[in-house]
Amino acid sequence: MPVIVIGCGVVGLTTALMLQRTQRYSVTAVGRDTPEDLRGPHGISQSWASPFAGANWRPYSADHEQQMQAAEQQTYFMMRDIARDSPQAGVKIIPIADFGSSKGERGTKPRFLGYVKGVQKIERRLWPQNAVFGYSYDSVIVNVPLYMSWLAAEFKSLGGTVRKGELEHISDALRYVEGGRCVAIVNCTAMGSYSLGGVGDTSVYPIRGQTLLVRAPHVDLTVTVPGSSEDRATYVIPRGDGTVILGGVFEKGSADARQDIQTTDEILHNCLGVCPQLLSHHPAGKSFNNPVSKADVEELRKEIIAVNVGFRPSRKGGPRLEVQRMGEIAVIHNYGQSSYGYQTSWGYASIAVRMLDAALSVNAKL
């Protein structure tokens, strides 16, 4: 049965791959931006969120967000399997030093510690400023360009098709399949859902991020620390190829695509404080609360490869997982994953597949 997935970010490609793997659907993925663009001579669109992610696995779900909790857990184990079985995918298992994601987590013991591997407490004397707890455990890191290309290659190896195209209305997707017919459209257009005709979701909004890509091949762990305010955080995410992503900011509603020099300075200083081994002459130590000199900041500045500004596709009320009808065509919505697209991608894709099966009354056991 022909199915069209619109949107070729991490959520769209993962959903397309899962659908194609069922062998029940013949899937075409359509996107304005596709993994081929990651290797092209031109710049990557800043409105395409996936290439600008870190990315690592670190949950963000609150206690009442059970669907998101399940998506995080499923993705954690899927990513671990990919790291072991498909080294070319750019996914690796490494330790994380996790000091929380917001001040609201202060004094709590995260639920996910019940299933992640290698959990250890970090002594309080080693905590950085703004930490709300301290645990290390096995996380995964994702080399985004490699991983996006791997998803597309896996999808195409199973008979899936990737088409490049820009849609004004959701019904325009029919132009990209033979005969202009399909049984379902799966909408994974992220920020595009705000302006896409036939969807027009005004609950969608951007959260601006600014990160640095630096050379630091000796960094072998990922670190996350809450910031001094809700729109700030400190994180260090190796990509497994000698480069590291440093961040960052979470500026709700901002669509400013310009680099901010002050933000760059803050990121350099804060990341050196929790991870001094970003500089090769600093040996790895146990403390995550270290003094930082101006000379250290300037030395790390010389290792910057790129300053990236991107926009996390967020949505008031959280991700949209919903079934609608467009005449005889089932429409499945799967978007709005904000800053946790990678770490929930397999879980939300699985939900979308089940929703499509149910909408078409398909027996998943066949």
Side-chain angles (χ1 to χ4, degrees):
M1 291 184 285
V3 171
I4 305 170
V5 174
I6 53 175
C8 290
V10 65
V11 173
L13 285 176
T14 306
T15 302
L17 176 55
M18 287 197 78
L19 286 166
Q20 192 69 28
R21 281 179 172 175
T22 67
Q23 300 183 348
R24 297 189 293 275
Y25 305 111
S26 175
V27 184
T28 299
V30 180
R32 180 198 60 201
D33 305 294
T34 72
E36 288 296 319
D37 297 327
L38 299 176
R39 299 190 293 270
H42 53 280
I44 300 169
S45 169
Q46 285 181 295
S47 59
W48 187 26
S50 290
F52 297 102
N56 67 353
W57 185 92
R58 197 284 171 186
Y60 288 94
S61 59
D63 287 343
H64 66 281
E65 295 173 319
Q66 296 181 352
Q67 184 185 73
M68 184 173 163
Q69 290 168 13
E72 289 168 341
Q73 184 170 351
Q74 181 175 352
T75 303
Y76 177 73
F77 289 104
M78 282 294 298
M79 288 289 197
R80 285 176 62 88
D81 288 345
I82 293 170
R84 287 192 297 263
D85 301 336
S86 303
Q88 72 277 19
V91 180
K92 294 184 178 181
I93 300 170
I94 71 166
I96 182 173
D98 187 345
F99 297 99
S101 63
S102 72
K103 293 181 180 179
E105 293 179 318
R106 187 177 302 280
T108 65
K109 182 177 181 180
R111 179 180 281 103
F112 60 80
L113 294 178
Y115 62 81
V116 295
K117 306 299 182 182
V119 177
Q120 295 183 23
K121 282 188 175 182
I122 299 174
E123 294 179 54
R124 194 179 187 93
R125 64 183 179 85
L126 304 176
W127 292 10
Q129 188 177 5
N130 300 320
V132 296
F133 52 63
Y135 295 96
S136 66
Y137 53 88
D138 289 347
S139 178
V140 295
I141 54 171
V142 180
N143 184 315
V144 167
L146 288 179
Y147 184 65
M148 293 290 289
S149 297
W150 176 82
L151 282 174
E154 285 288 296
F155 172 59
K156 290 189 283 188
S157 73
L158 296 174
T161 302
V162 177
R163 301 284 302 277
K164 191 171 178 65
E166 190 162 0
L167 314 182
E168 294 184 3
H169 193 280
I170 191 169
S171 61
D172 293 344
L174 297 173
R175 299 200 306 256
Y176 295 92
V177 290
E178 187 175 351
R181 298 175 62 85
C182 69
V183 297
I185 296 172
V186 185
N187 173 28
C188 302
T189 56
M191 280 301 302
S193 289
Y194 181 90
S195 57
L196 182 64
V199 179
D201 188 347
T202 57
S203 297
V204 174
Y205 66 95
I207 296 182
R208 180 184 178 276
Q210 180 169 318
T211 61
L212 314 179
L213 179 66
V214 302
R215 285 177 290 268
H218 23 277
V219 174
D220 58 0
L221 84 164
T222 179
V223 184
T224 181
V225 185
S228 57
S229 59
E230 290 298 315
D231 64 350
R232 293 291 187 269
T234 298
Y235 50 88
V236 176
I237 306 175
R239 280 192 159 178
D241 62 354
T243 65
V244 181
I245 290 285
L246 307 180
V249 296
F250 295 81
E251 297 173 347
K252 290 185 178 181
S254 173
D256 187 350
R258 296 170 298 178
Q259 300 172 11
D260 182 82
I261 296 175
Q262 182 177 345
T263 298
T264 294
D265 292 344
E266 289 176 1
I267 291 171
L268 290 170
H269 183 276
N270 293 341
C271 289
L272 277 167
V274 301
C275 187
Q277 58 267 42
L278 283 162
L279 297 176
S280 59
H281 60 79
H282 280 298
K286 291 184 177 181
S287 177
F288 296 90
N289 189 5
N290 300 279
V292 179
S293 69
K294 290 183 179 180
D296 285 343
V297 170
E298 293 309 312
E299 185 175 348
L300 184 56
R301 193 188 307 275
K302 295 174 184 177
E303 301 301 325
I304 294 176
I305 299 168
V307 180
N308 297 319
V309 175
F311 303 95
R312 304 170 179 95
S314 304
R315 184 175 181 272
K316 298 173 185 176
R320 185 182 183 189
L321 277 294
E322 185 180 350
V323 182
Q324 292 184 320
R325 305 294 305 192
M326 190 174 70
E328 296 182 353
I329 299 173
V331 177
I332 312 296
H333 296 286
N334 180 16
Y335 64 87
Q337 282 82 5
S338 189
S339 57
Y340 45 88
Y342 281 86
Q343 55 261 46
T344 59
S345 54
W346 289 96
Y348 279 122
S350 180
I351 294 169
V353 172
R354 293 197 301 270
M355 292 173 68
L356 180 55
D357 286 343
L360 301 178
S361 300
V362 172
N363 186 345
K365 294 182 180 180
L366 294 179

